[in-house]
């Protein structure tokens, strides 16, 4: 089975349908990111019932790899916020997630974000 890039792949069995690994992940990725984001928010709500949430999901390119970038801000009141940046991608057939959690934006955070967005991922 061709995954759209000319390489042959063995089909995988998922919910009674045979799908090429490439096509399955390409379709399932957005739904998975949304589901995982909602589960994280629900988990945080259990401990912080009064918290207010802001979420934004975008698609970003890092190197030649396409990522879903999720930003979640949890306003805990009293000028205190938890911030989550979660990058998700399929790299070499595996779901890869990178999570950055911070309270305040600092020069070190900016340096970390710049280093990550300048990364290159070896795609086989």
């Amino acid at each position: 089975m061709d995954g759209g890039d000319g390489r042959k792949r063995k089909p995988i069995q998922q919910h009674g349908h045979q799908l090429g690994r490439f096509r399955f992940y390409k379709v399932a990725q957005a739904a998975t990111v949304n589901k995982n984001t909602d589960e994280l928010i629900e988990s945080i709500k259990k401990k912080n019932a009064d918290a207010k949430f802001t979420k934004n999901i975008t698609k970003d390119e890092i190197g030649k790899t396409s990522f879903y970038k999720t930003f979640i801000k949890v306003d805990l009141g009293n000028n205190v916020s938890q911030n989550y940046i979660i990058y998700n991608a399929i790299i070499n057939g595996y779901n890869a997630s990178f999570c950055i959690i911070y309270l305040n934006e600092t020069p070190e955070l900016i340096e970390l974000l710049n280093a990550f967005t300048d990364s290159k991922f070896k795609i086989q």
Side-chain angles (χ1 to χ4, degrees), residues 26-68:
K26 190 169 181 89
V27 172
Q29 182 71 10
T32 301
V33 168
N34 282 314
K35 178 179 174 260
N36 291 346
T37 300
D38 292 342
E39 287 176 356
L40 176 60
I41 289 172
E42 288 304 314
S43 174
I44 296 168
K45 279 183 182 178
K46 288 179 182 177
K47 294 183 181 181
N48 302 291
D50 296 332
K52 294 178 178 77
F53 295 83
T54 304
K55 82 174 182 180
N56 186 29
I57 300 173
T58 58
K59 210 162 186 189
D60 285 6
E61 287 284 322
I62 299 176
K64 294 182 180 179
T65 304
S66 183
F67 282 85
Y68 283 95

Side-chain angles (χ1 to χ4, degrees), residues 21-117:
R21 186 174 71 201
F22 180 81
R23 294 188 202 291
F24 170 75
Y25 283 119
K26 190 169 181 89
V27 172
Q29 182 71 10
T32 301
V33 168
N34 282 314
K35 178 179 174 260
N36 291 346
T37 300
D38 292 342
E39 287 176 356
L40 176 60
I41 289 172
E42 288 304 314
S43 174
I44 296 168
K45 279 183 182 178
K46 288 179 182 177
K47 294 183 181 181
N48 302 291
D50 296 332
K52 294 178 178 77
F53 295 83
T54 304
K55 82 174 182 180
N56 186 29
I57 300 173
T58 58
K59 210 162 186 189
D60 285 6
E61 287 284 322
I62 299 176
K64 294 182 180 179
T65 304
S66 183
F67 282 85
Y68 283 95
K69 177 184 175 183
T70 303
F71 175 76
I72 301 171
K73 181 176 185 170
V74 183
D75 183 353
L76 300 171
N78 296 326
N79 290 329
V80 177
S81 295
Q82 287 178 334
N83 301 281
Y84 298 79
I85 300 173
I86 306 165
Y87 289 92
N88 291 285
I90 300 299
I91 300 175
N92 296 326
Y94 296 95
N95 188 16
S97 297
F98 304 91
C99 185
I100 301 166
I101 304 170
Y102 65 96
L103 297 176
N104 300 310
E105 195 170 295
T106 63
E108 293 82 10
L109 172 67
I110 300 303
E111 186 177 341
L112 174 69
L113 291 173
N114 288 337
F116 183 77
T117 57

